[in-house]
Amino acid sequence: MNILVIEARYYEAISDALLEGALSVLQKAGATVTKLTVPGALEIPHAISYAEAGPQSFDGYVALGCVIRGETTHYDYVCQESARALMDLAVDQALVVGNGIITVENEDQAWARAKSNQKDKGGFAANAVLEMIRIRTALSEPAE
C-alpha cells in the first residue's frame, strides 16, 4: 500500500503527535508512506486533489491537523469546509481518505486526542484508511 500522509502544520507540536500515531500504524501494516506538509487544515483537500492529478499513485490518504476554537467564527468554517472537502473527495472520486483533523475547544482537548497513548486520532485515521482500502479491494473483486 502506498499512502500519502498530509499534515497541517498550524499547530506543529500537536500535528507531530498525530503524525506519530499515524506512522506507527502504517509502518506496522508495511505501508509505503509519503509525507507532505501544508500550512493548515483547509489546504489538505487541495493537496489530495493535486496528488490525484499527479503522476504518482496513492492507495489512500491520511489527513492530519488540528483546529482549536478561537474568538471568531473562523473555527466553524475551517472545521466544516475541511471535513466537507475531504468527504467530497472520498465520495465523488472514490478515494480512501482518513480524516484525522481534530476539532476541539482548547489545547488540552487537542493533546488528549493527539497523543498516541491517549485517544490517538492519528492512529485511528491511519487504521480507517487501511480498513477502507481492504473494503474497496473486496468490493472490486468479482462475485463468486
Side-chain angles (χ1 to χ4, degrees):
M1 289 172 283
N2 192 19
I3 309 297
L4 178 61
V5 176
I6 306 105
E7 178 192 14
R9 297 296 296 165
Y10 193 82
Y11 293 101
E12 292 182 5
I14 294 167
S15 293
D16 287 343
L18 290 166
L19 179 63
E20 178 184 323
L23 291 179
S24 175
V25 166
L26 295 171
Q27 289 167 351
K28 285 178 188 170
T32 299
V33 177
T34 301
K35 293 183 286 181
L36 179 68
T37 62
V38 296
L42 286 175
E43 290 75 36
I44 293 173
H46 294 269
I48 293 172
S49 182
Y50 301 155
E52 277 297 298
Q56 193 170 357
S57 177
F58 295 99
D59 298 304
Y61 301 91
V62 178
L64 302 174
C66 177
V67 184
I68 299 175
R69 186 178 297 281
E71 297 175 358
T72 69
T73 58
H74 183 68
Y75 167 89
D76 298 310
Y77 296 112
V78 173
C79 294
Q80 291 170 2
E81 292 304 312
S82 62
R84 181 200 53 79
L86 291 176
M87 186 60 71
D88 286 350
L89 286 165
V91 172
D92 295 344
Q93 297 186 38
L95 302 181
V96 175
V97 180
N99 186 348
I101 301 173
I102 57 175
T103 56
V104 296
E105 298 294 321
N106 56 56
E107 194 170 332
D108 288 339
Q109 289 179 353
W111 280 113
R113 284 155 180 78
K115 289 181 178 179
S116 60
N117 64 348
Q118 291 187 31
K119 294 191 178 182
D120 192 18
K121 293 300 182 178
F124 181 85
N127 273 315
V129 164
L130 297 173
E131 182 63 14
M132 292 307 292
I133 289 170
R134 186 193 65 74
I135 290 168
R136 181 178 62 186
T137 301
L139 290 173
S140 67
E141 294 174 357
E144 295 179 15

